[in-house]
Amino acid sequence: MSEMAAAATAPATESAARAAAEEDVRIRPITVAEYHRMGKAGIIAPDERVELLDGRLIEMPPVGPEHAYSVRRLDAYFQQRFAGRASVSIQGPMALDRKSEPQPDVMLNPLPDQKYAKAHPTPEDALLVIEVAQSSLAYDQGPKLRAYARRGVREYWIVDLVHGRVEVYRDPHGERYRVHLSAARGQVVAPLAFPGETIAVDEFLPPPP
């Protein structure tokens, strides 16, 4: 083998060795109980934007004005529309499983609201889960979608601020949803739990530029 060929082969060999070594690394997941103890001990600051998903602490991006606007609109609209019929949770925790406690932007849960004074809503409680996505779009469409589907969250919406639409996922099966719909500006969506309550997508998307 020439010196040039040997030099070209060496980086590839080293890269393969590193990849093999990384595959042997075992990640020690964090449980929800440990996550809460970290908060009480001050390891996680009260104002630190993190959530636990699949045993990993995920650092959430800063909330931009468009994201905040959509969450406020959803909150106001859902509080008015579903008053007395469902509990509306805004950026509150969900007890997804023993290694996951995400904080969806909006959740619609069955009444009575007092039920959630002692325990966070579970996937069985969730009538609808909504994430507002901009810089977090790939995360919400990927790991978070798979986690919600795996635990049987019946309906999941992504308010996609990047493309100006709402993605609707229904009928969880394994780590995916069998039904995937998309509604753009000028169209309407309705939760499965309240099929007669159509909501205009423009109600909670930021005004177009």
Side-chain angles (χ1 to χ4, degrees):
M1 180 183 296
S2 69
E3 290 183 4
M4 183 178 294
T9 304
T13 304
E14 292 170 4
S15 177
R18 284 197 300 270
E22 288 171 0
E23 287 179 0
D24 291 336
V25 173
R26 298 182 63 183
I27 303 298
R28 197 281 197 184
I30 300 169
T31 67
V32 171
E34 291 167 335
Y35 172 55
H36 282 260
R37 287 202 293 271
M38 290 168 71
K40 290 179 180 177
I43 297 170
I44 300 173
D47 60 348
E48 196 169 355
R49 284 182 45 78
V50 296
E51 69 177 11
L52 184 68
L53 191 78
D54 295 332
R56 298 188 180 198
L57 281 178
I58 308 298
E59 185 176 16
M60 305 306 293
V63 175
E66 291 182 324
H67 184 285
Y69 172 88
S70 287
V71 172
R72 286 196 305 271
R73 293 288 295 173
L74 284 162
D75 183 20
Y77 197 85
F78 275 43
Q79 295 286 1
Q80 180 183 29
R81 182 66 71 92
F82 299 110
R85 295 189 291 167
S87 171
V88 181
S89 170
I90 301 299
Q91 297 176 334
M94 172 196 276
L96 197 60
D97 57 40
R98 64 183 296 271
K99 295 178 183 177
S100 299
E101 192 178 272
Q103 299 173 37
D105 287 310
V106 182
M107 267 194 298
L108 204 58
N109 301 309
L111 295 173
D113 195 54
Q114 289 82 354
K115 174 182 179 180
Y116 313 110
K118 299 294 184 181
H120 297 315
T122 66
E124 291 73 26
D125 295 317
L127 301 175
L128 173 64
V129 171
I130 304 176
E131 297 287 1
V132 177
Q134 196 165 28
S135 58
S136 66
L137 183 59
Y139 172 61
D140 292 329
Q141 291 175 327
K144 191 167 274 190
L145 182 148
R146 292 192 291 273
Y148 286 152
R150 188 168 61 247
R151 296 306 299 161
V153 171
R154 68 194 79 180
E155 184 168 22
Y156 173 42
W157 293 2
I158 299 176
V159 178
D160 179 354
L161 300 181
V162 178
H163 303 101
R165 65 191 179 194
V166 177
E167 295 186 4
V168 177
Y169 296 90
R170 295 169 176 164
D171 193 11
H173 178 73
E175 291 194 337
R176 65 183 184 87
Y177 285 85
R178 289 191 175 103
V179 176
H180 176 204
L181 309 170
S182 182
R185 293 184 185 276
Q187 297 180 309
V188 298
V189 289
L192 279 174
F194 301 97
E197 296 289 354
T198 56
I199 305 166
V201 171
D202 294 87
E203 287 285 346
F204 44 83
L205 283 178

